[in-house]
PDB file of all heavy atoms in Angstrom:
ATOM      1  N   MET A 948     158.186  24.474 150.731  1.00 94.00           N
ATOM      2  CA  MET A 948     157.038  25.112 150.098  1.00 94.00           C
ATOM      3  C   MET A 948     157.356  25.420 148.635  1.00 94.00           C
ATOM      4  O   MET A 948     158.410  25.975 148.336  1.00 94.00           O
ATOM      5  CB  MET A 948     156.731  26.422 150.839  1.00 94.00           C
ATOM      6  CG  MET A 948     155.463  27.082 150.418  1.00 94.00           C
ATOM      7  SD  MET A 948     155.283  28.710 151.189  1.00 94.00           S
ATOM      8  CE  MET A 948     154.095  28.353 152.437  1.00 94.00           C
ATOM      9  N   ILE A 960     141.791  36.092 135.106  1.00 98.00           N
ATOM     10  CA  ILE A 960     142.038  34.660 135.343  1.00 98.00           C
ATOM     11  C   ILE A 960     143.188  34.486 136.335  1.00 98.00           C
ATOM     12  O   ILE A 960     143.116  33.660 137.261  1.00 98.00           O
ATOM     13  CB  ILE A 960     142.326  33.910 134.015  1.00 98.00           C
ATOM     14  CG1 ILE A 960     141.149  34.083 133.042  1.00 98.00           C
ATOM     15  CG2 ILE A 960     142.571  32.428 134.282  1.00 98.00           C
ATOM     16  CD1 ILE A 960     141.368  33.485 131.658  1.00 98.00           C
ATOM     17  N   ILE A 980     151.349  45.002 135.178  1.00 98.00           N
ATOM     18  CA  ILE A 980     151.623  46.423 134.926  1.00 98.00           C
ATOM     19  C   ILE A 980     150.686  47.293 135.771  1.00 98.00           C
ATOM     20  O   ILE A 980     150.936  48.466 135.988  1.00 98.00           O
ATOM     21  CB  ILE A 980     151.480  46.723 133.413  1.00 98.00           C
ATOM     22  CG1 ILE A 980     152.150  48.035 133.036  1.00 98.00           C
ATOM     23  CG2 ILE A 980     150.027  46.695 132.960  1.00 98.00           C
ATOM     24  CD1 ILE A 980     152.302  48.235 131.529  1.00 98.00           C
ATOM     25  N   GLN A 995     154.547  45.594 140.710  1.00 98.00           N
ATOM     26  CA  GLN A 995     153.999  46.276 139.541  1.00 98.00           C
ATOM     27  C   GLN A 995     155.134  46.491 138.540  1.00 98.00           C
ATOM     28  O   GLN A 995     156.022  47.312 138.787  1.00 98.00           O
ATOM     29  CB  GLN A 995     153.380  47.595 139.990  1.00 98.00           C
ATOM     30  CG  GLN A 995     152.280  48.034 139.061  1.00 98.00           C
ATOM     31  CD  GLN A 995     151.381  49.093 139.672  1.00 98.00           C
ATOM     32  OE1 GLN A 995     151.196  49.133 140.884  1.00 98.00           O
ATOM     33  NE2 GLN A 995     150.833  49.932 138.838  1.00 98.00           N
ATOM     34  N   CYS A1036     147.778  46.717 116.560  1.00 97.00           N
ATOM     35  CA  CYS A1036     149.221  46.982 116.710  1.00 97.00           C
ATOM     36  C   CYS A1036     149.641  46.788 118.173  1.00 97.00           C
ATOM     37  O   CYS A1036     150.701  46.207 118.440  1.00 97.00           O
ATOM     38  CB  CYS A1036     149.567  48.387 116.231  1.00 97.00           C
ATOM     39  SG  CYS A1036     149.184  48.609 114.494  1.00 97.00           S
ATOM     40  N   TYR A1070     142.659  29.149 116.031  1.00 98.00           N
ATOM     41  CA  TYR A1070     142.025  28.310 115.000  1.00 98.00           C
ATOM     42  C   TYR A1070     141.323  29.157 113.946  1.00 98.00           C
ATOM     43  O   TYR A1070     140.902  30.285 114.209  1.00 98.00           O
ATOM     44  CB  TYR A1070     140.998  27.371 115.640  1.00 98.00           C
ATOM     45  CG  TYR A1070     141.598  26.356 116.580  1.00 98.00           C
ATOM     46  CD1 TYR A1070     141.544  26.547 117.957  1.00 98.00           C
ATOM     47  CD2 TYR A1070     142.223  25.212 116.097  1.00 98.00           C
ATOM     48  CE1 TYR A1070     142.089  25.619 118.833  1.00 98.00           C
ATOM     49  CE2 TYR A1070     142.780  24.276 116.964  1.00 98.00           C
ATOM     50  CZ  TYR A1070     142.703  24.485 118.332  1.00 98.00           C
ATOM     51  OH  TYR A1070     143.247  23.572 119.186  1.00 98.00           O
ATOM     52  N   PRO A1075     128.800  25.909 111.376  1.00 93.00           N
ATOM     53  CA  PRO A1075     127.956  25.186 112.338  1.00 93.00           C
ATOM     54  C   PRO A1075     127.832  23.727 111.917  1.00 93.00           C
ATOM     55  O   PRO A1075     127.690  23.426 110.730  1.00 93.00           O
ATOM     56  CB  PRO A1075     126.607  25.905 112.244  1.00 93.00           C
ATOM     57  CG  PRO A1075     126.918  27.258 111.691  1.00 93.00           C
ATOM     58  CD  PRO A1075     128.120  27.106 110.830  1.00 93.00           C
ATOM     59  N   ASP A1091     141.357  34.259 112.707  1.00 94.00           N
ATOM     60  CA  ASP A1091     140.478  35.325 112.217  1.00 94.00           C
ATOM     61  C   ASP A1091     140.989  36.711 112.618  1.00 94.00           C
ATOM     62  O   ASP A1091     140.558  37.714 112.070  1.00 94.00           O
ATOM     63  CB  ASP A1091     139.101  35.018 112.835  1.00 94.00           C
ATOM     64  CG  ASP A1091     138.190  36.194 112.923  1.00 94.00           C
ATOM     65  OD1 ASP A1091     137.640  36.543 111.866  1.00 94.00           O
ATOM     66  OD2 ASP A1091     138.042  36.769 114.012  1.00 94.00           O
ATOM     67  N   GLU A1097     149.257  36.302 117.192  1.00 98.00           N
ATOM     68  CA  GLU A1097     150.270  36.529 118.235  1.00 98.00           C
ATOM     69  C   GLU A1097     150.345  35.321 119.170  1.00 98.00           C
ATOM     70  O   GLU A1097     151.423  34.890 119.555  1.00 98.00           O
ATOM     71  CB  GLU A1097     149.940  37.814 119.023  1.00 98.00           C
ATOM     72  CG  GLU A1097     151.038  38.272 119.987  1.00 98.00           C
ATOM     73  CD  GLU A1097     151.118  37.503 121.290  1.00 98.00           C
ATOM     74  OE1 GLU A1097     150.075  37.107 121.826  1.00 98.00           O
ATOM     75  OE2 GLU A1097     152.234  37.263 121.800  1.00 98.00           O
ATOM     76  N   GLU A1102     153.115  30.646 121.251  1.00 98.00           N
ATOM     77  CA  GLU A1102     153.147  29.195 121.528  1.00 98.00           C
ATOM     78  C   GLU A1102     154.443  28.618 120.960  1.00 98.00           C
ATOM     79  O   GLU A1102     155.119  27.803 121.572  1.00 98.00           O
ATOM     80  CB  GLU A1102     151.992  28.477 120.815  1.00 98.00           C
ATOM     81  CG  GLU A1102     150.643  28.594 121.453  1.00 98.00           C
ATOM     82  CD  GLU A1102     149.603  27.699 120.748  1.00 98.00           C
ATOM     83  OE1 GLU A1102     149.975  26.883 119.879  1.00 98.00           O
ATOM     84  OE2 GLU A1102     148.424  27.833 121.093  1.00 98.00           O
ATOM     85  N   GLY A1133     134.206  49.339 129.789  1.00 94.00           N
ATOM     86  CA  GLY A1133     135.396  50.092 129.392  1.00 94.00           C
ATOM     87  C   GLY A1133     135.942  49.729 128.025  1.00 94.00           C
ATOM     88  O   GLY A1133     136.892  50.335 127.569  1.00 94.00           O
ATOM     89  N   GLY A1224     133.569  38.505 115.152  1.00 91.00           N
ATOM     90  CA  GLY A1224     134.549  37.415 115.174  1.00 91.00           C
ATOM     91  C   GLY A1224     134.034  36.233 114.382  1.00 91.00           C
ATOM     92  O   GLY A1224     133.192  36.382 113.493  1.00 91.00           O
TER      93      GLY A1224
END
Side-chain angles (χ1 to χ4, degrees):
M948 188 187 256
I960 302 175
I980 198 168
Q995 207 163 330
C1036 299
Y1070 295 101
D1091 158 77
E1097 189 282 324
E1102 282 187 8

